[in-house]
């Protein structure tokens, strides 16, 4: 499991959304772990069914979609109040 992704998520949420509560950081930690476990189980199966190369292509396509979705502009609560 890539623990760096947890730290990056918390760092971005602290500075972007002013995340300061400890329970919210714990939720982020938990969600990253759940996502990692779900991905390992799902793409292990996809690799078994489709083959290694096709499974990696599906994984990369979903990673690119996730990247594009994370770049999409989203209004934060502070912007909506102004």
């Amino acid at each position: 499991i890539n623990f760096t992704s947890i730290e990056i998520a918390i760092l971005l949420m602290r500075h972007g959304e002013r995340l300061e509560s400890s329970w919210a950081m714990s939720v982020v930690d938990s969600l990253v772990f759940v996502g990692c476990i779900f991905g390992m189980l799902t793409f292990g199966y996809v690799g078994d069914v489709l083959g290694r190369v096709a499974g990696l292509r599906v994984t990369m396509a979903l990673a690119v979609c996730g990247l594009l979705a994370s770049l999409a502009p989203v209004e934060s609560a502070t912007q909506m109040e102004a």
Side-chain angles (χ1 to χ4, degrees), residues 7-67:
E7 297 304 321
I8 291 172
I10 290 174
L11 180 68
L12 290 174
M13 290 184 75
R14 273 190 190 154
H15 293 292
E17 298 295 326
R18 304 292 181 223
L19 179 69
E20 296 179 8
S21 61
S22 62
W23 68 269
M25 288 187 280
S26 297
V27 169
V28 171
D29 287 346
S30 299
L31 288 175
V32 170
F33 280 122
V34 168
C36 290
I37 292 170
F38 179 76
M40 285 185 263
L41 294 174
T42 303
F43 289 106
Y45 177 76
V46 169
D48 289 342
V49 171
L50 298 178
R52 187 185 309 173
V53 174
L56 287 173
R57 287 183 181 155
V58 170
T59 303
M60 288 304 299
L62 288 174
V64 169
C65 289
L67 171 70

